Amino acid sequence: VVKVRLRQLCNGAWGESPAPGGGSVAALLGALGASLGGMVANLSAGKRGWDDRLEFFSSKAVEAQGLKDELLRLVDEDTAAFNRVMAAFGLPKDSAEEKAARSAAIQTANKYAAEIPLLVMETALKSYPLLQAMAEQGNPASISDVGVGLIATRGCIEGAGLNVLINLSGLKDEGAKASLGKRVHEISDKNEAAFEKISEIVESTIG
């Protein structure tokens, strides 16, 4: 998915195939959010008169690149996880043994399909300190880019959370379901708090 052109990706999401779907799109939003944070870091590193801040902004750009690359990897991994669920449902179910094997495969695939968007949430959450640093210390001329990065990051985490929850709905392991669900709510709370805090900085800078 990641290697295709943007138009192809949008057409794929628009089409009749269920993958790439919301999970992959959420991860892509997160990658774009981190990328914008990195862009502001790179622009700030090159700002005339800010030579003494070059090392700081360069390190932030590298940090953003790492987050962006991991979230892009998860774009494809989410699609692969969905395909594993579909493959499990397609297993034969004629005999009792086949039914048992199919049921076990579905449960394993569903759990994995919930774990991947949870990892997307956890990864995207790491973009907030970067975006806050850019909002507070980056080139003020790029503050709107920080704001768009914030919105993309928030949308990523919210969207990925929905994908965790829908995959948990088919999970029979109550312990795993409770643990993963609790983590979703914890990250969601942190998501809202970070978004609101940094949004205030962005809005104040824009004026």
Side-chain angles (χ1 to χ4, degrees), residues 36 38-48 50 57 139 141-142 145:
L36 284 169
M39 184 190 80
V40 176
N42 280 313
L43 289 172
S44 300
K47 183 173 171 60
R48 183 178 300 176
W50 282 17
F57 286 120
N139 189 337
S142 300
D145 298 301

Side-chain angles (χ1 to χ4, degrees), residues 30-121:
L32 291 169
S35 294
L36 284 169
M39 184 190 80
V40 176
N42 280 313
L43 289 172
S44 300
K47 183 173 171 60
R48 183 178 300 176
W50 282 17
D51 294 349
D52 59 327
R53 307 188 198 182
L54 176 61
E55 184 176 346
F56 170 75
F57 286 120
S58 295
S59 68
K60 291 300 179 183
V62 171
E63 179 184 338
Q65 182 174 12
L67 291 169
K68 178 259 296 177
D69 289 346
E70 174 62 6
L71 285 160
L72 285 178
R73 183 187 73 80
L74 291 169
V75 170
D76 280 337
E77 194 59 33
D78 188 88
T79 296
F82 176 82
N83 289 337
R84 283 175 62 171
V85 173
M86 292 297 97
F89 273 101
L91 290 172
K93 51 181 178 179
D94 297 324
S95 67
E97 290 79 7
E98 287 176 342
K99 288 179 181 178
R102 177 177 177 272
S103 178
I106 290 171
Q107 289 301 303
T108 298
N110 272 336
K111 185 171 183 287
Y112 186 68
E115 290 171 339
I116 293 303
L118 181 61
L119 183 55
V120 170
M121 296 179 77

Side-chain angles (χ1 to χ4, degrees), residues 4-207:
V4 304
R5 293 181 182 274
L6 184 58
R7 184 177 297 277
Q8 289 176 284
L9 176 60
C10 289
N11 286 341
W14 167 85
E16 294 181 359
S17 172
S24 290
V25 171
L28 179 58
L29 281 174
L32 291 169
S35 294
L36 284 169
M39 184 190 80
V40 176
N42 280 313
L43 289 172
S44 300
K47 183 173 171 60
R48 183 178 300 176
W50 282 17
D51 294 349
D52 59 327
R53 307 188 198 182
L54 176 61
E55 184 176 346
F56 170 75
F57 286 120
S58 295
S59 68
K60 291 300 179 183
V62 171
E63 179 184 338
Q65 182 174 12
L67 291 169
K68 178 259 296 177
D69 289 346
E70 174 62 6
L71 285 160
L72 285 178
R73 183 187 73 80
L74 291 169
V75 170
D76 280 337
E77 194 59 33
D78 188 88
T79 296
F82 176 82
N83 289 337
R84 283 175 62 171
V85 173
M86 292 297 97
F89 273 101
L91 290 172
K93 51 181 178 179
D94 297 324
S95 67
E97 290 79 7
E98 287 176 342
K99 288 179 181 178
R102 177 177 177 272
S103 178
I106 290 171
Q107 289 301 303
T108 298
N110 272 336
K111 185 171 183 287
Y112 186 68
E115 290 171 339
I116 293 303
L118 181 61
L119 183 55
V120 170
M121 296 179 77
E122 291 171 340
T123 304
L125 193 66
K126 297 175 184 177
S127 291
Y128 279 125
L130 164 70
L131 291 165
Q132 181 172 345
M134 293 306 99
E136 293 174 337
Q137 302 177 59
N139 189 337
S142 300
I143 192 65
S144 61
D145 298 301
V146 177
V148 175
L150 271 176
I151 293 168
T153 299
R154 182 193 197 185
C156 164
I157 295 173
E158 289 183 349
L162 293 175
N163 278 269
V164 176
L165 296 176
I166 197 167
N167 284 299
L168 289 182
S169 65
L171 204 60
K172 295 178 181 178
D173 183 341
E174 294 299 330
K177 182 185 291 189
S179 176
L180 293 170
K182 179 182 178 183
R183 187 66 183 134
V184 168
H185 293 301
E186 289 173 347
I187 296 174
S188 295
D189 288 344
K190 292 179 180 179
N191 182 37
E192 285 304 306
F195 178 83
E196 292 299 330
K197 177 181 180 181
I198 306 169
S199 288
E200 289 181 5
I201 300 171
V202 171
E203 291 169 6
S204 174
T205 303
I206 289 176

